[in-house]
Structure formats: structure tokens, C-alpha cells
């Protein structure tokens, strides 16, 4: 099987190691990964800010770039939500809609691809640990892939997943929202961190880089000892794809 890997903006800028681990997880299952070096943003920041015509140009660029009929795998429910659902709204009623629709059918978040397409269940190589999980808003409500992410975590026999009481509440990132409304964003992430600390866990796991940047930065300022970690770094670590468990 061949797939394209879509690294996302934050993957390229701040989570390059996570992208490497995500690719290794695919290769572990015998999947051939194609990385297009000219890939760019999914267009969500401009779309959420109301720049619809500009967002259409980005969307069509992506449609043209990933031209072969292979699945397109992204380590982010946020980008998947944009490319699989919001692209359709952008092009509804236009001449390009059919092409964009066909493109959207090839978009998968990595955890749902591993879980539902490949049926992966992991052999845990790590020591017993307690974790909690934060659900990114787009992954939860638009891409709807959280069940797959948790299924992979629950397949790890030495990992105890302790749910947050207010898991479905936003962490306050929201892309440009955290810049435009910093006071509200800070209050939201503080509430999220209170919930995380109440779980008495070693790790906070999430599948989206934006949320992790926001939560981990706030936790560092507050001196919180819980370790934030991206889902695909955690899975790669527990399965021996990367060193250290």
C-alpha cells in the first residue's frame, strides 16, 4: 500500500520529530510513505478568518499536489477536518466541487487509518504508566476520529487511560483565537490544566500539535509536572519504533 503523508504546518515548524515517528508507525505496518516536499498549509487559518477566496487557492493547490489516487494521511484531526469537510463547504456549487469531493474521500487522520483501515493493535513494550487525553475540538466534532485515537491507546496493556472530567472543552488555542482573545484563552487553558492535574497522571497525550503547544506552554509557566506528549510520539515510544519507553 502507498500513501501520501501530510505533515501539517505545525508538524513542519515545531513537531518534525513527531512527523518522523508517525511515518515510522506507518512503515511498521508495511506501508510505503510518499512525502511531497512542496506541501503547504491546509488553509484553515485563512478559512477561519473569513478569507474564503484565498483559502480556495490553497485547497486547489493541495488537490493538484496530491494527484495520485493514494490515501492522504495527516497526524492532525484539525487539518483532516478542514480538508475532508470544510473544503466541501468552500467549493459547494462550484465547477471544482467534484474534484474536491474526490480529494476529500482520500483524507485520513493517522489514528483512524491505523485503527479502521489497518486494524492495528499494539504490543506494549513500556512499563506501567497512567495517562490522560485531551481531545482537539476539530478532531472531536468535525473529523470525529477520537474513538480511533483512544482505541490505539487502550490496546497498550501497560497504559492506564484516565479520562478528563471536562475532556470536550476547548483548551483555548483555537488558532488565531488565542491571539485575538488572549485573556479568554488563558482562562480556558487554566481550567484545562486544573482538570489534568486532578487526574494524578504522568502524561498528557493529545493528537494535535496546536493544543499541545498551548497546554504545554501554560503548564511550563505554572510549574506543572505532568509531561505533555503527542500521540504519535507516545505510540512510537511504547512500541519500540523510537528509543526509550
Amino acid at each position: 500500500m502507498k500513501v501520501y503523508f501530510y505533515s501539517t504546518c505545525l508538524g513542519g515548524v515545531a513537531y518534525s520529530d513527531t512527523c518522523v515517528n508517525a511515518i515510522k508507525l506507518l512503515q511498521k505496518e508495511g506501508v510505503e510513505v510518499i512525502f511531497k516536499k512542496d506541501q503547504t498549509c491546509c488553509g484553515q487559518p485563512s478559512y477561519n478568518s473569513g478569507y474564503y477566496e484565498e483559502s480556495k487557492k490553497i485547497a486547489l493547490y493541495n488537490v493538484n499536489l496530491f494527484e495520485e489516487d493514494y490515501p492522504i494521511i495527516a497526524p492532525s484531526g484539525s487539518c483532516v477536518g478542514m480538508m475532508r469537510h470544510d473544503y466541501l463547504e468552500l467549493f459547494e456549487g462550484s465547477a471544482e466541487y467534484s474534484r474536491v469531493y474526490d480529494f476529500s474521500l482520500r483524507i485520513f487522520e493517522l489514528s483512524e487509518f491505523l485503527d479502521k483501515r489497518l486494524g492495528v493493535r499494539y504490543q506494549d513494550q513500556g512499563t506501567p504508566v497512567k495517562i490522560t487525553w485531551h481531545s482537539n475540538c476539530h478532531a472531536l466534532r468535525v473529523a470525529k476520529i477520537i474513538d480511533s485515537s483512544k482505541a490505539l491507546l487502550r490496546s497498550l496493556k501497560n497504559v492506564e487511560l484516565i479520562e478528563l472530567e471536562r475532556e470536550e472543552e476547548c483548551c483555548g488555542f483555537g488558532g488565531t483565537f488565542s491571539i485575538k482573545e488572549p485573556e479568554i484563552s488563558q482562562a480556558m487553558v487554566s481550567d484545562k490544566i486544573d482538570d489534568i492535574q486532578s487526574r494524578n497522571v504522568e502524561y498528557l497525550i493529545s493528537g494535535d500539535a496546536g493544543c499541545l503547544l498551548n497546554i504545554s506552554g501554560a503548564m511550563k509557566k505554572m510549574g506543572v509536572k505532568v509531561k505533555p506528549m503527542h500521540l504519535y510520539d507516545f505510540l512510537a515510544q511504547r512500541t519500540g519504533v523510537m528509543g526509550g519507553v
Side-chain angles (χ1 to χ4, degrees):
M1 180 184 291
K2 294 182 180 181
V3 303
Y4 289 119
F5 185 79
Y6 182 74
S7 63
T8 80
C9 295
L10 287 178
V13 171
Y15 282 84
S16 57
D17 288 345
T18 301
C19 290
V20 171
N21 285 326
I23 290 171
K24 287 181 177 179
L25 288 169
L26 285 166
Q27 292 173 331
K28 184 177 186 294
E29 305 306 320
V31 177
E32 181 180 339
V33 179
I34 302 167
F35 187 91
K36 303 285 281 191
K37 66 178 182 178
D38 296 327
Q39 59 182 275
T40 188
C41 179
C42 69
Q44 186 179 151
S46 57
Y47 177 73
N48 288 345
S49 298
Y51 294 95
Y52 301 132
E53 293 305 314
E54 291 83 355
S55 300
K56 285 182 179 180
K57 293 178 182 179
I58 298 171
L60 288 177
Y61 176 86
N62 287 324
V63 171
N64 292 327
L65 182 66
F66 299 102
E67 73 277 12
E68 297 292 336
D69 190 25
Y70 303 139
I72 303 163
I73 313 300
S76 166
S78 187
C79 295
V80 166
M82 177 68 190
M83 299 169 82
R84 193 158 69 191
H85 296 281
D86 296 338
Y87 277 16
L88 299 181
E89 291 190 4
L90 268 175
F91 288 93
E92 187 174 2
S94 72
E96 294 91 357
Y97 182 83
S98 179
R99 287 184 64 218
V100 173
Y101 177 78
D102 290 342
F103 173 83
S104 73
L105 295 178
R106 296 191 286 128
I107 302 293
F108 295 89
E109 199 275 334
L110 177 55
S111 70
E112 69 171 338
F113 190 78
L114 292 170
D115 176 40
K116 295 183 178 179
R117 286 289 294 268
L118 301 183
V120 172
R121 291 298 178 267
Y122 290 119
Q123 295 297 316
D124 192 359
Q125 298 182 25
T127 56
V129 67
K130 293 181 180 181
I131 68 170
T132 194
W133 166 267
H134 165 71
S135 288
N136 163 275
C137 294
H138 241 62
L140 178 68
R141 298 179 176 87
V142 182
K144 299 181 180 179
I145 52 81
I146 298 302
D147 286 349
S148 289
S149 298
K150 289 184 177 180
L152 295 177
L153 289 171
R154 290 189 175 115
S155 73
L156 301 169
K157 66 178 182 179
N158 291 323
V159 174
E160 182 181 354
L161 174 59
I162 300 173
E163 307 278 6
L164 291 174
E165 182 180 350
R166 300 160 67 177
E167 176 191 332
E168 297 187 0
E169 291 186 12
C170 178
C171 73
F173 177 61
T176 57
F177 170 79
S178 60
I179 299 172
K180 295 176 180 178
E181 302 289 349
E183 293 85 4
I184 299 174
S185 176
Q186 180 59 44
M188 294 171 73
V189 76
S190 295
D191 287 345
K192 179 64 67 172
I193 292 171
D194 286 343
D195 196 5
I196 293 167
Q197 287 186 289
S198 73
R199 302 296 95 180
N200 192 28
V201 295
E202 185 175 350
Y203 288 96
L204 164 72
I205 308 299
S206 184
D208 272 272
C211 294
L212 275 178
L213 282 175
N214 187 47
I215 298 171
S216 64
M219 287 201 302
K220 185 176 181 179
K221 290 180 181 178
M222 296 167 65
V224 176
K225 301 301 182 183
V226 179
K227 302 169 189 175
M229 198 170 195
H230 199 287
L231 172 63
Y232 302 117
D233 294 327
F234 187 74
L235 292 176
Q237 185 186 76
R238 302 297 298 192
T239 58
V241 172
M242 64 178 277
V245 293

